[in-house]
Amino acid sequence: MNYKKLNIYESLELHQPKSSQCSRLYSLEPIGIGTAECESLTSYIIRLSQAHCVTVNKLLHPNILKDFDRKDLSDYSQIIYRLLRSPHNSKSFNGLGLTSTKLSQQLEALTLRNDLSFLTMLSWSEITTYHQLFRDHQAWCPVCYEEWQTNKKPLYIPLLWFLDPVKICLHHYQYLLEECPHCRQTLPIIGKQMQLGYCSHCGNWLGSSSSIQTYHQTIYKDNIKWQEYVTISMGELIAAAPHLSSLPTRDRTAQVLNTYLNANNITKGEIATFTRFIGVRSENILIYLYNKRIPRIDKLLQITSAFQTSPLKFFTEDINTLIGKLKVSSQLFVKGKEQDDKPKPTKLDKIKIRQVLTQALLEEVPPSITEVAKRLKCSRHSIKYYCPELYQALKLHRRTERLKNFNQYSLEIRNFLEAALIVNPPPSMQSLTKSLPIKSAKLYKLFPELCYQISKRHKEYRNACTLEKRNQVIHEMNEAISKLHNQGKEPTLAQVRKLLTKPGYTREQFFQDALFKTRQELGYEN
Amino acid sequence: MSTDRLFTPELLTAPLQARLNYFDNYTMGHPYLNEAFETLKPIIRHCGESKIIFIFSPTGVGKTKLRLLAEKWIVQELWKEMEVDRGRIPFASVEAVVQKSGLFNAKDHLKRCLYALHEPKEFINHKINYGVQGIYSDNEGKIVIKQKILETDLGWALEQSLKHRRPQTFFIDEAHHLLAIASGRKLTDVPEAIKSLANRTEVLHGLIGTYELLTLHDIGEQLSRRSVYIHLPRYNAEFIEDREIWQSVIWNFQCQIPTVEEPDFLSNWNYLYERSLGCVGILKNWLNNALADALAEEANIVTISHLERRALSVGQCRNIFKAIKEGEKRAAEIEGEVEKLRIELGLVSQPILKQKTAKALGLSPEQSSELKKRKKAVGQRKPQRDSVGIKTHEL
């Protein structure tokens, strides 16, 4: 045999090269990062659950997170459990606190992305407070939904629509809707199961082509400029988040305000006029100046609009450059000073106070001090300060009159309560207080014995009613059992349930005990 | 024929299990395997409109080895892309399984596919169909989610999964099991579903199986039109070239056997061919078993007796060979169809001018086109049939 043509063949290596592990969940691309229309984290979660064809609560189930240590896992599962149980609390998903930090970190680890924190307001957590920043329900522009649906673009909820100051859609110049046009209910931000663009209560389409005409409001002309400013400003903040070289610090507002005051030679004494120009109360401004608190979002927007700048520039530009630009608007502030022609409060007339108080003393039903203060358009303290004798006299007079009236009134109430002890069926204290202009706590304080007797009588009556109902149900159950037994069928819970007029009682413990007992008598239980 | 052994001498002093593992893990790049792999590469790289590849061969030739080769190659090709898009997977492979009932279960298969696509197993039993009717509201206005997971929901989920994971190729091994369906269902149901899935998701599907796969070529016009067929044949002793390669294959195995002395398989090449039918996979498995026996007996060499003890019986060989012959015949028919089609289309004969056909009939081209048109109504006599004028005897 000639084997001259033998060849050596290559030995093949079939082991896979060690490649990087793919993400546990799909690495879904967030929509609009780096623009004002950036997607919100809750919307991303809903889209991710749709991509995986599971419900939101399945997607966020702690079992998915196997690579996290136990402490993190328990924290996470607690957060999710709490938030999904009460959807209106879930506004913190897109917020600027620990919840959104943890949630975005977990999702980043699961999808192996590094940009999910930009779907929340985390970048701006140091410049404004959580209060009044977010809505506790959804808001949407139906025309936007309709356009996306028509152009076959993915439906999503921009982060901008969750911010409470934002009321309009800049693309279509109409107010955002906050309740479903079909069932008139507000929609939770995220729930156990949701579908974007559809109502989570009635399941109807929320776009403008839905069968019901959406309530279209035209924006008031005097309001439109402010709404535009707010929407554009908030959009700028969202868009700039991924491009920030460093996050703004907590003391930035104080720095800018102090630098501005120093640059314009405004002393602390002139703060009141300065605050009138801005439109924020002076005590608030002082708190910001001394860096004791950061401004709420509405105050922040008032401050930045007064300075004719955007919040983004206010927080990210170099302070000296910013102050240079703000000098332009300081002329406005000077104008504000000149135009400060608000009438100064005049000193109260002592004689007038005397007259009003004397008249009040002569009235059949003496008025309270508060009422007198309203008549005089001054505070209670001013009355006490200018006419202390008359103030005390009116107080005493009013007290004696009220006591007189009260004694008469309490006699009426006693009679009313005593009558209630005889009435059948015995009324509850709750129903009695509804018919009286007095709170139940007060009644218990005045007539404790009577009240406890009424309450006890009502309780006994309720217990008797319950017992009667239970006996009826057990009687019905026994009839059903005997019927089934005679037919040769085993009286199981499911079979008995079918024959009851009120099958809900089968869940009660007393029913199950009675059923067990009867089944035992019939020899079905060992 | 003596030669240098193809493994390191240290292996001979290694424990028995290590030596067994060495031979077990050895994969030979024999010519037909390389040829099929080279054919497969450009299709995986760019498949165009053909979204389905059928890779068919007899049993024990190396289909799964070919799949593993392709998978390794895809990972190397997509290395950079994988670093950028961490949600993507380079490939996915699933094995079509026949249930205890002897039938293929589509629902079970879909779940396996999802698992192969790295879907968390916590999700697989809780799929809902957002696309059609996953969520709806009942009469009371309450949102209802279908709890029962249906085949359609899983199908929808698989489509979403393929779209998001974007594997370069989705291999279905033992794909001939897809045809093991209950009577009353169309044979092409499952493969047609795979074809439409491949078109919708634009993911190349590789169906790997025995010659039974060719049944789909005969019955599914739609399916075969947009498919690529790759044949991984056995070595056929009828051909001289195949015999030579077969001897080389045996020699390569002989050099890789980690026994103290080199065995002489080459002189028994025809016996080895007889009981492995020219299938490299069957031969490798056989040699592996014989080596295990030899090492267990602490023998220094794998002898013919070891081989005989672990060889397939003649009956088994006959059964396998019967299936192989049938399959090869069908494969040859498919390959021969090309020529048949060319003849039918008139590509083989010399073309002629269109006008010549008209001139042969003595008609203008316009008239020739009207040849088939009826000129007269039914029942109207032809004028030439009746004589005209006065006959002579009447004058």
Side-chain angles (χ1 to χ4, degrees):
Chain A
M1 195 85 204
N2 185 13
Y3 301 124
K4 275 184 182 176
K5 291 189 177 178
L6 292 178
N7 296 313
I8 288 184
Y9 298 129
E10 185 193 357
S11 171
L12 300 174
E13 183 58 55
L14 294 180
H15 289 292
Q16 293 287 345
K18 276 195 175 179
S19 59
S20 50
Q21 192 67 28
C22 78
S23 58
R24 190 154 160 75
L25 301 181
Y26 304 147
S27 187
L28 198 67
E29 180 107 21
I31 300 169
I33 277 200
T35 66
E37 277 79 40
C38 175
E39 186 172 17
S40 57
L41 188 65
T42 44
S43 161
Y44 184 80
I45 291 168
I46 296 166
R47 282 203 310 124
L48 199 58
S49 69
Q50 285 189 2
H52 276 278
C53 303
V54 289
T55 54
V56 171
N57 58 332
K58 271 278 161 253
L59 184 91
L60 298 177
H61 200 276
N63 286 355
I64 298 296
L65 313 162
K66 286 200 167 161
D67 305 329
F68 294 88
D69 58 45
R70 187 165 291 191
K71 190 180 174 295
D72 275 1
L73 200 67
S74 63
D75 284 358
Y76 173 85
S77 56
Q78 275 176 14
I79 287 168
I80 300 303
Y81 180 72
R82 200 179 68 236
L83 293 176
L84 290 181
R85 265 189 63 201
S86 53
H88 286 286
N89 288 342
S90 54
K91 60 182 179 182
S92 54
F93 271 52
N94 303 313
L96 20 84
L98 194 67
T99 306
S100 33
T101 310
K102 271 191 176 296
L103 192 63
S104 57
Q105 278 174 0
Q106 307 275 26
L107 283 169
E108 278 179 357
L110 287 168
T111 56
L112 296 180
R113 297 196 71 86
N114 55 5
D115 50 6
L116 298 188
S117 61
F118 305 129
L119 309 185
T120 64
M121 292 297 280
L122 277 170
S123 308
W124 306 104
S125 56
E126 295 293 309
I127 65 154
T128 185
T129 60
Y130 180 78
H131 189 55
Q132 290 198 2
L133 179 59
F134 294 100
R135 287 190 179 85
D136 61 357
H137 53 269
Q138 279 189 42
W140 67 94
C141 168
V143 189
C144 279
Y145 271 160
E146 199 60 46
E147 276 182 8
W148 295 336
Q149 184 85 314
T150 315
N151 301 331
K152 296 198 170 146
K153 286 182 179 175
L155 294 175
Y156 75 105
I157 310 172
L159 182 56
L160 202 62
W161 291 356
F162 283 116
L163 302 178
D164 197 39
V166 177
K167 307 285 182 202
I168 61 164
C169 166
L170 276 181
H171 296 292
H172 306 106
Y173 272 87
Q174 66 161 39
Y175 281 107
L176 297 177
L177 292 187
E178 295 189 30
E179 56 178 39
C180 167
H182 304 272
C183 62
R184 293 282 165 212
Q185 295 206 58
T186 55
L187 309 185
I189 285 164
I190 194 164
K192 289 178 183 176
Q193 57 263 342
M194 291 192 89
Q195 204 167 1
L196 291 167
Y198 292 87
C199 173
S200 51
H201 296 290
C202 64
N204 281 305
W205 170 237
L206 300 172
S208 54
S209 71
S210 58
S211 53
I212 296 173
Q213 276 294 309
T214 50
Y215 181 55
H216 186 85
Q217 275 183 304
T218 48
I219 304 164
Y220 303 116
K221 279 187 178 176
D222 54 344
N223 197 17
I224 197 159
K225 279 202 168 180
W226 171 249
Q227 290 295 352
E228 272 181 355
Y229 171 77
V230 168
T231 313
I232 292 167
S233 300
M234 297 312 286
E236 276 180 355
L237 287 181
I238 292 168
H243 313 299
L244 290 176
S245 50
S246 60
L247 297 179
T249 51
R250 203 176 170 79
D251 57 353
R252 171 77 186 199
T253 311
Q255 279 177 10
V256 174
L257 288 177
N258 279 311
T259 319
Y260 179 79
L261 292 180
N262 293 335
N264 290 281
N265 298 321
I266 300 166
T267 58
K268 294 277 190 284
E270 291 171 313
I271 290 284
T273 330
F274 168 69
T275 51
R276 259 201 302 284
F277 152 71
I278 287 178
V280 181
R281 289 168 66 180
S282 57
E283 53 266 38
N284 280 342
I285 287 287
L286 283 168
I287 288 169
Y288 308 148
L289 277 170
Y290 293 123
N291 193 24
K292 292 199 171 173
R293 211 189 298 153
I294 49 174
R296 214 169 62 186
I297 190 70
D298 54 339
K299 308 285 181 213
L300 182 68
L301 287 164
Q302 272 177 309
I303 294 168
T304 53
S305 73
F307 282 135
Q308 296 187 350
T309 183
S310 68
L312 180 66
K313 284 180 183 169
F314 190 87
F315 286 105
T316 54
E317 265 195 3
D318 175 58
I319 287 197
N320 295 322
T321 322
L322 182 73
I323 298 299
K325 286 179 185 172
L326 296 185
K327 275 185 179 173
V328 177
S329 48
S330 73
Q331 293 171 357
L332 269 178
F333 164 61
V334 174
K335 270 186 196 171
K337 265 184 170 179
E338 288 166 2
Q339 289 167 354
D340 190 17
D341 50 359
K342 197 174 175 184
K344 284 191 168 68
T346 51
K347 281 197 172 182
L348 279 165
D349 196 347
K350 209 171 177 180
I351 301 158
K352 196 182 176 183
I353 294 174
R354 273 185 180 285
Q355 277 179 1
V356 173
L357 280 171
T358 330
Q359 272 179 6
L361 278 166
L362 295 171
E363 282 177 33
E364 196 177 335
V365 181
S368 64
I369 299 287
T370 316
E371 208 172 314
V372 174
K374 269 185 190 173
R375 289 177 194 175
L376 284 163
K377 290 178 184 172
C378 68
S379 69
R380 295 177 49 156
H381 301 288
S382 304
I383 298 169
K384 193 179 175 180
Y385 180 75
Y386 288 114
C387 304
E389 310 87 16
L390 280 172
Y391 172 86
Q392 290 297 341
L394 181 64
K395 240 182 150 176
L396 196 71
H397 180 55
R398 185 172 158 79
R399 196 174 293 163
T400 48
E401 283 296 317
R402 282 186 71 189
L403 201 66
K404 221 187 278 177
N405 291 340
F406 178 73
N407 288 338
Q408 199 180 342
Y409 183 61
S410 65
L411 192 70
E412 286 173 15
I413 289 176
R414 179 179 281 278
N415 293 337
F416 178 76
L417 292 176
E418 279 170 353
L421 275 171
I422 309 161
V423 174
N424 268 327
S428 65
M429 277 304 294
Q430 207 176 2
S431 62
L432 289 177
T433 45
K434 274 181 186 172
S435 55
L436 290 173
I438 189 164
K439 287 179 182 173
S440 63
K442 186 100 180 173
L443 272 179
Y444 273 96
K445 204 174 174 181
L446 291 170
F447 313 104
E449 284 180 18
L450 268 175
C451 291
Y452 283 122
Q453 275 181 8
I454 290 169
S455 183
K456 191 182 171 186
R457 194 162 163 262
H458 178 69
K459 202 172 181 178
E460 283 167 0
Y461 165 72
R462 288 289 303 276
N463 288 342
C465 286
T466 309
L467 202 67
E468 198 181 334
K469 265 184 194 173
R470 286 184 176 186
N471 288 334
Q472 274 179 8
V473 171
I474 288 169
H475 178 70
E476 199 180 1
M477 176 198 80
N478 286 331
E479 278 183 353
I481 289 175
S482 60
K483 191 179 173 182
L484 288 165
H485 186 68
N486 294 336
Q487 286 172 0
K489 290 179 185 174
E490 187 186 344
T492 59
L493 184 70
Q495 291 291 344
V496 172
R497 196 187 158 89
K498 287 175 189 172
L499 300 173
L500 294 179
T501 47
K502 290 188 174 179
Y505 277 106
T506 52
R507 288 195 294 268
E508 301 274 346
Q509 191 59 47
F510 81 89
F511 184 91
Q512 288 172 8
D513 292 344
L515 181 75
F516 179 79
K517 199 177 168 184
T518 320
R519 277 170 58 88
Q520 212 171 20
E521 285 166 9
L522 294 170
Y524 287 107
E525 297 287 347
N526 297 322
Chain B
M1 183 167 179
S2 65
T3 179
D4 294 330
R5 312 293 293 274
L6 295 176
F7 53 85
T8 52
E10 291 82 43
L11 188 65
L12 295 175
T13 55
L16 296 185
Q17 196 56 48
R19 289 154 76 181
L20 265 176
N21 288 345
Y22 169 79
F23 189 71
D24 196 21
N25 293 330
Y26 166 65
T27 306
M28 190 195 304
H30 57 91
Y32 278 168
L33 182 68
N34 283 338
E35 201 179 303
F37 182 41
E38 290 304 321
T39 317
L40 190 59
K41 272 186 196 176
I43 300 165
I44 290 176
R45 205 179 278 131
H46 180 74
C47 57
E49 273 198 349
S50 310
K51 295 281 180 233
I52 292 199
I53 319 171
F54 285 101
I55 300 167
F56 57 92
S57 79
T59 180
V61 164
K63 296 185 293 289
T64 306
K65 295 286 182 201
L66 177 63
R67 173 173 67 80
L68 293 170
L69 267 176
E71 284 172 1
K72 188 186 169 188
W73 177 76
I74 291 168
V75 171
Q76 286 165 342
E77 285 283 298
L78 292 181
W79 185 274
K80 282 182 183 173
E81 278 186 53
M82 292 283 300
E83 290 299 316
V84 177
D85 187 354
R86 302 291 300 276
R88 194 175 177 188
I89 55 173
F91 65 87
S93 300
V94 70
E95 190 176 311
V97 176
V98 172
Q99 303 290 311
K100 284 179 186 174
S101 60
L103 297 174
F104 167 77
N105 182 337
K107 191 171 170 179
D108 176 73
H109 174 72
L110 287 168
K111 286 185 182 181
R112 283 170 195 276
C113 288
L114 283 167
Y115 194 71
L117 285 160
H118 295 253
E119 191 71 8
K121 62 176 183 290
E122 292 86 351
F123 289 174
I124 290 177
N125 283 330
H126 298 93
K127 291 288 179 189
I128 53 168
N129 191 339
Y130 276 98
V132 186
Q133 48 183 3
I135 299 178
Y136 59 93
S137 52
D138 63 1
N139 298 334
E140 294 172 6
K142 282 185 180 176
I143 298 287
V144 177
I145 291 193
K146 272 197 304 171
Q147 288 302 319
K148 197 180 173 191
I149 174 163
L150 301 174
E151 199 178 305
T152 48
D153 300 347
L154 283 168
W156 173 256
L158 178 60
E159 189 179 327
Q160 297 303 309
S161 190
L162 283 168
K163 277 180 183 171
H164 286 99
R165 291 292 190 197
R166 293 184 296 122
Q168 188 75 8
T169 314
F170 186 61
F171 290 109
I172 301 175
D173 211 342
E174 307 292 345
H176 48 272
H177 288 161
L178 300 175
L179 306 173
I181 51 164
S183 58
R185 284 192 70 174
K186 271 177 72 184
L187 194 64
T188 51
D189 275 358
V190 176
E192 284 286 356
I194 290 171
K195 188 212 76 172
S196 80
L197 184 70
N199 284 342
R200 284 200 306 275
T201 57
E202 296 193 336
V203 171
L204 176 69
H205 279 55
L207 271 65
I208 304 167
T210 60
Y211 286 123
E212 286 174 60
L213 271 181
L214 296 177
T215 314
L216 293 171
H217 177 271
D218 304 338
I219 55 172
E221 264 182 52
Q222 271 292 317
L223 199 65
S224 60
R225 195 170 63 85
R226 284 188 174 182
S227 308
V228 180
Y229 289 84
I230 293 177
H231 185 196
L232 180 57
R234 67 188 179 110
Y235 291 102
N236 194 337
E238 291 169 21
F239 306 115
I240 297 165
E241 299 92 334
D242 281 17
R243 280 188 184 214
E244 286 173 356
I245 295 170
W246 182 252
Q247 287 161 6
S248 293
V249 165
I250 285 173
W251 183 60
N252 273 272
F253 276 130
Q254 181 179 308
C255 297
Q256 291 285 359
I257 290 269
T259 48
V260 179
E261 291 173 40
E262 186 182 331
D264 182 20
F265 293 153
L266 209 50
S267 52
N268 297 312
W269 71 266
N270 48 7
Y271 173 66
L272 290 170
Y273 184 90
E274 173 194 309
R275 296 301 171 93
S276 65
L277 312 160
C279 301
V280 180
I282 296 175
L283 175 67
K284 162 85 190 296
N285 196 31
W286 181 12
L287 295 179
N288 210 2
N289 292 337
L291 172 69
D293 284 3
L295 290 178
E297 290 171 13
E298 294 180 359
N300 289 338
I301 191 165
V302 179
T303 60
I304 188 78
S305 63
H306 290 128
L307 291 172
E308 281 170 350
R309 212 182 304 160
R310 287 306 199 112
L312 291 175
S313 67
V314 177
Q316 283 174 312
C317 289
R318 274 188 180 283
N319 285 338
I320 295 170
F321 189 61
K322 192 182 171 188
I324 288 175
K325 282 306 269 181
E326 278 175 21
E328 280 177 344
K329 192 181 167 191
R330 283 158 93 181
E333 278 171 12
I334 290 171
E335 282 153 15
E337 270 182 6
V338 179
E339 197 55 34
K340 196 178 167 187
L341 181 70
R342 285 172 66 86
I343 292 165
E344 281 175 8
L345 290 171
L347 285 170
V348 181
S349 55
Q350 281 296 315
I352 52 171
L353 281 168
K354 206 188 232 181
Q355 284 183 336
K356 277 188 180 180
T357 52
K359 277 178 183 175
L361 294 167
L363 298 164
S364 65
E366 291 79 19
Q367 283 174 312
S368 66
S369 63
E370 292 172 12
L371 267 177
K372 289 180 182 176
K373 287 185 185 175
R374 186 177 288 282
K375 288 179 182 178
K376 283 190 246 174
V378 178
Q380 192 179 339
R381 284 181 74 82
K382 223 172 156 181
Q384 291 90 331
R385 288 182 68 94
D386 307 308
S387 54
V388 290
I390 303 159
K391 290 174 182 174
T392 49
H393 68 269
E394 288 176 0
L395 291 170

